[in-house]
Amino acid sequence: MRILVAGMLAAGAAIAAFAPGAAAQSVKVQPGADDELRAVYATPVEVAEGGRIAEGSCARCHGANGISTAKGVPHLAGQRAAYLDLQLRAYRQSARVQSGMTGIVRYLSDDALVKVAAYYATLDPPRPVAPAAKAAAARLDSAQAGKAAAAACSGCHGETGVSSMPGMPSLVGLDPKYVIAAMQAYKSGQRANDMMKAIAAGASESDVNNMALYYALQKPARAKTPAAGNQAAGKKAAAACGACHGDLGVSGNPTTPSLAGQDAQYLAAATQAYKDGSRKDESMKGPVADLDEKTTKDIAAYYAAQQPQAVNVRRPLTLAEWTERCDRCHGVNGNSTDPLMPRLAAQRADWLEQMLHAYRTGTRKSTAMAAMSALMSEGDVKDLSAYYARQSARAVSYIVLPPAGKKRDK
């Protein structure tokens, strides 16, 4: 059994030594592989032979020195040898599918793949890309961006979405999907309100999404407005509403609004709008048809008195939080010391984006990466890819230690 000790190199000097971390993923080569780490301890003669093979088979796409200039084609220079060997075999075994790669590796032996992988691992890694001017400043996360977008709404809906103006709805306690759909309805004219139509028309899709998330993350509270109806009578009259809007007005359906804690005057006006047809929704048309003005106010008063509940939404991770998670397997700043784990530092951003999308859609298989990438927004994917492309790549050397107890030859 061979034991590897990894040493990370910068400017030709050894600065650290690490064994592969416990958090690193374990990767098993498909049957037929003699040793998944063979490329790590390839001899100089094998590396030279790998260079000759790579020049004829790989350089046209990946660059003469393993540094790609083609969009969507990864850098190979300085990548971890065992990882490269593993991926080359995956292409040949159709575990990974890409027509150009499959056609090339189909005619290369296991021995040739090992040598090519070892060769690229010995090359100087690429330089990190310089940050774009716009990327130099930290991007606001979705919740922060939502707060900024919602600033113009606070005059009517309250700073945190809790209304203190009679007739104006509170926006806390509402699922983002419902808020987004409502804004789209105002924008299209399906909901008639000139002021809201103008606001919705001027808001980008990203602004609306972020604003809806911001309100969903705020601490729920009842509207700070009076309620004119009889709560006890309203509770009895609202019995039929619970099927859609939930017990005590807390909806379990993202597209159906919660009514708990909502401004009573707004609820009464919305109910009347459904009744007279100025606000259209087939599911509301029947239930409100026989409600008189007093009953409408009583129901509104009952729901206004109920305690709104927090929406079940996940607060998005910041870029720092995402990179901390990724670094657990891929090494600090994306410089993996595990020979089976790819280095992300200084890799092409467009390639990293492409791979994250492949994991999200399942076209590239990895249980761990699928679970991780499924939680990412489009903004997260772009930010993470750009971040790792800006990191300095570090080469890693591996020293093979003899098994414990084995005597050294004198």
Side-chain angles (χ1 to χ4, degrees):
M1 177 180 178
R2 304 189 189 213
I3 301 174
L4 295 178
V5 174
M8 192 168 289
L9 306 179
I15 60 172
F18 305 93
Q25 298 173 358
S26 61
V27 183
K28 294 183 179 179
V29 180
Q30 297 212 8
D34 295 327
D35 187 342
E36 61 186 2
L37 296 179
R38 181 184 162 195
V40 175
Y41 41 79
T43 66
V45 172
E46 290 175 318
V47 169
E49 178 61 21
R52 288 190 286 273
I53 298 171
E55 183 178 356
S57 301
C58 315
R60 185 177 64 177
C61 294
H62 293 282
N65 56 358
I67 298 176
S68 169
T69 59
K71 183 177 181 180
V73 177
H75 300 312
L76 300 183
Q79 187 54 276
R80 309 311 180 225
Y83 169 76
L84 284 177
D85 181 35
L86 192 69
Q87 300 312 306
L88 288 171
R89 292 191 225 176
Y91 280 120
R92 195 177 58 192
Q93 296 166 355
S94 298
R96 287 185 66 178
V97 179
Q98 205 275 340
S99 57
M101 285 298 301
T102 303
I104 290 171
V105 301
R106 180 183 301 165
Y107 302 105
L108 296 178
S109 66
D110 281 349
D111 189 58
L113 297 183
V114 166
K115 292 173 181 177
V116 168
Y119 163 72
Y120 279 120
T122 65
L123 298 179
D124 290 336
R127 294 180 180 275
V129 299
K134 290 183 178 179
R139 182 183 69 89
L140 294 176
D141 68 34
S142 298
Q144 291 173 321
K147 182 177 181 179
C153 308
S154 60
C156 294
H157 299 284
E159 185 176 349
T160 59
V162 179
S163 176
S164 59
M165 184 182 298
M168 286 294 171
S170 286
L171 301 180
V172 293
L174 297 174
D175 192 280
K177 291 181 180 179
Y178 174 77
V179 175
I180 292 168
M183 289 293 284
Q184 291 171 341
Y186 283 123
K187 188 173 185 177
S188 67
Q190 183 181 352
R191 284 197 187 188
N193 185 297
D194 291 339
M195 181 176 69
M196 284 302 302
K197 184 175 183 178
I199 292 172
S204 68
E205 181 180 354
S206 178
D207 286 339
V208 172
N209 292 345
N210 291 335
M211 183 176 63
L213 176 64
Y214 166 72
Y215 283 126
L217 292 172
Q218 301 312 300
K219 183 178 180 180
R222 299 183 187 91
K224 302 173 184 178
T225 53
N230 183 304
Q231 295 180 29
K235 179 178 181 179
K236 184 177 179 180
C241 306
C244 293
H245 295 282
D247 293 338
L248 305 178
V250 178
S251 173
N253 185 338
T255 60
T256 301
S258 290
L259 305 180
Q262 187 55 273
D263 170 68
Q265 187 174 321
Y266 169 76
L267 285 177
T271 302
Q272 181 58 40
Y274 284 124
K275 185 175 181 178
D276 64 27
S278 58
R279 188 166 168 178
K280 301 185 184 301
D281 186 312
E282 289 301 317
S283 65
M284 286 297 296
K285 187 175 181 180
V288 302
D290 297 327
L291 297 180
D292 57 27
E293 183 177 351
K294 180 183 181 305
T295 304
T296 296
K297 288 183 177 180
D298 291 344
I299 292 174
Y302 165 70
Y303 281 124
Q306 305 311 305
Q307 178 60 44
Q309 300 298 312
V311 182
N312 185 23
V313 294
R314 181 183 65 87
R315 185 179 184 89
L317 298 178
T318 64
L319 177 60
E321 290 170 329
W322 272 122
T323 55
E324 189 276 331
R325 290 189 176 195
C326 298
D327 286 356
R328 294 173 192 172
C329 291
H330 294 282
V332 177
N333 297 327
N335 279 294
S336 169
T337 56
D338 183 336
L340 292 169
M341 193 64 59
R343 186 204 73 240
L344 305 182
Q347 183 55 273
R348 288 186 64 98
D350 53 14
W351 169 256
L352 293 174
E353 285 186 40
Q354 184 177 319
M355 288 302 96
L356 284 171
H357 285 303
Y359 285 123
R360 294 173 77 188
T361 59
T363 55
R364 186 168 175 180
K365 307 295 183 183
S366 167
T367 302
M369 284 302 301
M372 185 79 76
S373 59
L375 301 175
M376 296 178 187
S377 67
E378 285 297 314
D380 292 330
V381 169
K382 289 185 176 295
D383 287 350
L384 273 170
S385 301
Y387 168 82
Y388 282 115
R390 294 194 299 268
Q391 304 310 303
S392 295
R394 299 285 186 259
V396 174
S397 62
Y398 297 94
I399 302 171
V400 183
L401 301 180
K406 184 177 180 179
K407 294 182 179 180
R408 297 178 180 271
D409 295 331
K410 294 183 179 180

